[in-house]
Amino acid sequence: MKKLLLAMAILIGFAVDAHAQTNYNTQPRVSAGFIYGGALGAAANNYTYASGFLVKYELPVKSIPLSLTLTSGYSFFISQTRFYSYINPGNGGGTHVSYSAAAFVPLEIGARVYIANKLYFEGNIGASLNVNSPHEYYTDKTLALLVSPNLGYSFRFGSSGKAGLDLSLGYENRFESASLNYYQGNYGRLALSAAFSLGL
């Protein structure tokens, strides 16, 4: 976490120092898109694919190539084959539970730094809501810390530049504790995203 915040601070410092360069995003924007990637870390033990949908609001900071962001959406992890856990094996009982997918709703705030005109680095931090039923079969927490840095490139179309397309490669991690019973630990992913954006 400290390394991520340090990297963000360094990039923002470079952006301020290079304020004479054009800030590629000069107007508030909304965007929506699709995410496709693979599970990482503990989640990769049970899930293969990690995808989702995103919506984002971007508010530029005047005179420097920096924007503040608010991001939400829907994230899901999918297993190629169903897997099983034995829940609450104590007291002479227990339940066999099968899984094929896990879903979460993220809500994050962040900052996007335009490093070289259209190329940007974005760092987000927030919370991930477990929307599985029953949620305790999937994770230890209903709400968990979520961190997602990514590197991307912005395309703008037309003379006004209002219409656009953002392509990025990002890492996301929902921080979870592992359990000797059935909690698997963190849900991480590495994914590509494509989002259509519109200037307001």
Side-chain angles (χ1 to χ4, degrees):
M1 178 66 66
K2 291 182 178 179
K3 291 182 178 179
L4 174 62
L5 294 176
L6 177 60
M8 290 178 62
I10 292 173
L11 286 172
I12 292 172
F14 277 125
V16 172
D17 185 60
H19 67 276
Q21 298 183 14
T22 301
N23 181 359
Y24 198 70
N25 184 41
T26 58
Q27 55 189 330
R29 305 187 72 85
V30 291
S31 59
F34 181 73
I35 302 166
Y36 179 78
L40 292 177
N45 294 329
N46 296 320
Y47 300 100
T48 305
Y49 307 107
S51 301
F53 304 94
L54 68 89
V55 290
K56 186 184 298 287
Y57 176 72
E58 181 181 355
L59 179 65
V61 177
K62 293 183 179 180
S63 75
I64 60 173
L66 171 69
S67 294
L68 303 179
T69 61
L70 179 63
T71 308
S72 187
Y74 186 78
S75 300
F76 49 90
F77 291 76
I78 301 174
S79 176
Q80 283 187 313
T81 58
R82 299 183 71 88
F83 62 95
Y84 299 85
S85 292
Y86 193 49
I87 307 301
N88 298 325
N91 301 322
T95 302
H96 283 283
V97 179
S98 65
Y99 305 82
S100 60
F104 305 94
V105 172
L107 181 61
E108 299 175 286
I109 58 173
R112 175 180 290 190
V113 180
Y114 287 89
I115 306 169
N117 206 2
K118 301 178 184 179
L119 181 69
Y120 66 83
F121 172 81
E122 182 178 329
N124 298 290
I125 187 169
S128 171
L129 174 64
N130 180 351
V131 294
N132 302 284
S133 180
H135 71 81
E136 62 269 17
Y137 284 4
Y138 292 80
T139 69
D140 186 35
K141 302 175 183 177
T142 303
L143 277 175
L145 175 66
L146 186 69
V147 173
S148 57
N150 58 80
L151 186 67
Y153 192 86
S154 293
F155 297 90
R156 299 291 182 262
F157 307 112
S159 57
S160 66
K162 281 194 172 184
L165 173 67
D166 290 350
L167 300 178
S168 67
L169 174 65
Y171 169 76
E172 182 179 275
N173 191 54
R174 174 189 164 101
F175 290 88
E176 278 280 355
S177 59
S179 167
L180 294 178
N181 294 325
Y182 49 92
Y183 299 134
Q184 64 179 356
N186 294 345
Y187 281 78
R189 77 177 180 203
L190 182 66
L192 293 169
S193 68
F196 291 97
S197 67
L198 183 66
L200 302 179

